[in-house]
Amino acid sequence: MTMWKIGLIGAGYWSSRHLQAWQMIPNVMVTALCDPDLAKLSEKAHLYNIPEESLYLSAEEMVKEAEIDIVDVVTGPESHVALVELAAKAGKHVLCQKPFARTLEEGARMVAFAKQAGVRLMVTENWRWLEPFRCIKEMLNSGVIGAIHTVRYVHTDFYTPRMEPTVKLPQPVFREMPRLLFYEMGAHWFDVWRFLFGMPKRVYAELSQVSPYIAGEDNGIVVLGHEGFHGYMDMSWATRQQLDRPLSDSVAPVHLERLVIDGREGTLKLYTNGDISLINQHGSEERWIKHGTTLDHEESHVRLQTHFIECLNAGVDFDTSGADNMETLRLLFSVYESAEKHVAVYLAQ
Ligand SMILES: NC(=O)c1ccc[n+]([C@@H]2O[C@H](COP(=O)([O-])OP(=O)(O)OC[C@H]3O[C@@H](n4cnc5c(N)ncnc54)[C@H](O)[C@@H]3O)[C@@H](O)[C@H]2O)c1
């Protein structure tokens, strides 16, 4: 069995999820870690037992000198094109964080770099690997609710209104992002939507900025039209969500997801406490499918990164390859286009 050697770039906030998961997957070793920020680099090296000789302040140096087969890019989208190009041209397979690219053109360039170099490229879309969405996908695949006619997806948080300049945030970059909610989180939601329901044909969006402490939007509604059914996403980081858990002193996200999928033969429901139920055709009986599913990010990374390694071993396609993610990006950017122009955007298939 191949022992895959990983070089991880970006020792910031989310890199812990990646590093933890790599340690749990057989036949994988993190043999290099890179970040120009020495404090972050040293902290993660210490936490995950990565020896000093495996640490790099420059990605160029790491890719040139370290013994690695895979580059795991855990930086923001502004650095992706340069890092994916660097890794691909050095013949390394790439796992790249979302949002994959800032434009479709950037995404297409990265897909082309990997193709030309003959290396594999996957995007870290871990939300489709979260427990509630895996469970719902299984139920949909079983055909138990019949043909879908309506989807209602609601995400609530009361996060951005509490982002006063003096407050410490886990991801301070959120204050400056010109596109926030439907870009940063939207990358996940649109990937989950495609995973569960496929690519819509039309979208119409209304977006707004509620909090005065941010540059981008923190609130919006998107209507998605498919062949034979439609749905909406009602997403907000500025709504006083149902406070079924009290806000803590620290300002951190408390995401609550709610999903109702109506089919001709039944309705599937995900409640904000993670319970998933199935309501029968006549609406007279609600049966619990699973109680207390969670947004289990840590485990989702183990599933996602295991999928990456298994596909490399078997030489089969990734579920969220770079090329596949271009569709998620197309959907995501169409939302901004629709909101800016106040028109429906048609997505050619
Ligand atoms: N999948 C998820 O659920 C999830 C959750 C959080 C963040 N993310 C994504 O992960 C990415 C990173 O987010 P974060 O919160 O960890 O950011 P962060 O700012 O905390 O960390 C990024 C790190 O990358 C380093 N870096 C930037 N450019 C570099 C380069 N060229 N070479 C080497 N290092 C470089 C920075 O110094 C920084 O330490 C973002 O794209 C974010 O959207 C995904």
Side-chain angles (χ1 to χ4, degrees):
M1 188 58 84
T2 311
M3 171 61 82
W4 294 101
K5 300 192 184 73
I6 318 271
L8 189 146
I9 302 179
Y13 169 65
W14 204 252
S15 62
S16 289
R17 304 289 186 207
H18 292 242
L19 290 163
Q20 254 163 24
W22 288 132
Q23 288 188 340
M24 293 169 76
I25 300 171
N27 301 311
V28 167
M29 261 178 88
V30 175
T31 53
L33 180 64
C34 166
D35 200 303
D37 184 323
L38 186 59
K40 288 185 185 174
L41 186 65
S42 307
E43 187 201 336
K44 292 293 152 87
H46 175 71
L47 279 171
Y48 297 98
N49 293 318
I50 300 167
E52 209 171 320
E53 60 271 21
S54 303
L55 306 184
Y56 295 84
L57 293 168
S58 126
E60 288 76 12
E61 222 175 283
M62 184 192 90
V63 167
K64 202 163 138 204
E65 291 176 13
E67 208 184 307
I68 52 175
D69 315 295
I70 292 165
V71 172
D72 186 6
V73 178
V74 196
T75 62
E78 65 289 345
S79 55
H80 289 173
V81 175
L83 294 174
V84 170
E85 180 178 18
L86 177 75
K89 287 190 172 160
K92 316 294 180 195
H93 302 301
V94 184
L95 178 61
C96 180
Q97 257 296 347
K98 51 56 65 177
F100 182 41
R102 292 171 301 182
T103 61
L104 285 178
E105 192 262 335
E106 278 191 356
R109 283 177 64 201
M110 289 187 275
V111 171
F113 290 142
K115 194 171 174 201
Q116 280 153 18
V119 297
R120 308 286 305 280
L121 170 63
M122 182 173 123
V123 179
T124 312
E125 286 290 6
N126 66 301
W127 270 53
R128 66 165 65 196
W129 294 96
L130 292 170
E131 187 189 14
F133 302 119
R134 295 318 280 187
C135 177
I136 287 165
K137 175 73 171 172
E138 235 174 76
M139 296 299 292
L140 291 177
N141 282 352
S142 76
V144 69
I145 66 164
I148 294 171
H149 62 77
T150 312
V151 180
R152 301 174 179 91
Y153 183 10
V154 180
H155 167 104
T156 64
D157 205 336
F158 192 61
Y159 189 28
T160 43
R162 301 193 298 139
M163 287 186 183
E164 285 99 339
T166 50
V167 159
K168 203 164 180 278
L169 300 177
Q171 290 159 290
V173 71
F174 286 0
R175 286 199 180 95
E176 282 104 52
M177 290 178 78
R179 290 178 166 180
L180 178 61
L181 193 60
F182 286 88
Y183 180 61
E184 172 57 32
M185 286 298 287
H188 293 306
W189 296 326
F190 297 121
D191 184 67
V192 164
W193 189 279
R194 288 185 52 236
F195 172 60
L196 296 177
F197 314 115
M199 186 74 170
K201 291 189 174 315
R202 305 165 291 282
V203 301
Y204 179 77
E206 293 281 349
L207 309 182
S208 64
Q209 181 199 330
V210 177
S211 168
Y213 307 122
I214 55 168
E217 87 290 352
D218 53 2
N219 191 39
I221 291 180
V222 182
V223 176
L224 304 102
H226 287 250
E227 196 68 60
F229 69 99
H230 62 261
Y232 67 75
M233 289 184 179
D234 169 359
M235 312 318 224
S236 181
W237 275 359
T239 180
R240 293 174 191 82
Q241 62 196 45
Q242 82 194 60
L243 294 175
D244 56 0
R245 52 195 94 171
L247 293 171
S248 65
D249 290 339
S250 71
V251 178
V254 185
H255 299 328
L256 299 180
E257 312 289 311
R258 207 171 342 162
L259 189 55
V260 178
I261 309 168
D262 281 316
R264 306 270 166 204
E265 287 155 41
T267 293
L268 269 174
K269 276 192 172 186
L270 167 66
Y271 290 84
T272 53
N273 66 1
D275 289 352
I276 296 175
S277 75
L278 172 65
I279 301 175
N280 68 356
Q281 193 169 20
H282 306 291
S284 55
E285 186 201 330
E286 183 167 24
R287 176 162 71 82
W288 297 103
I289 303 301
K290 221 168 185 182
H291 283 293
T293 63
T294 57
L295 300 181
D296 53 346
H297 292 287
E298 216 167 298
E299 293 82 353
S300 76
H301 267 273
V302 177
R303 292 177 205 120
L304 172 137
Q305 289 169 222
T306 299
H307 170 74
F308 178 77
I309 294 296
E310 283 176 354
C311 291
L312 285 184
N313 284 332
V316 299
D317 288 346
F318 301 123
D319 287 356
T320 55
S321 65
D324 172 84
N325 200 256
M326 291 297 290
E327 289 296 278
T328 295
L329 288 181
R330 220 154 57 83
L331 179 50
L332 183 165
F333 292 131
S334 74
V335 164
Y336 286 96
E337 187 188 340
S338 168
E340 277 155 24
K341 297 182 181 161
H342 297 296
V343 294
V345 173
Y346 290 77
L347 294 153
Q349 301 298 304

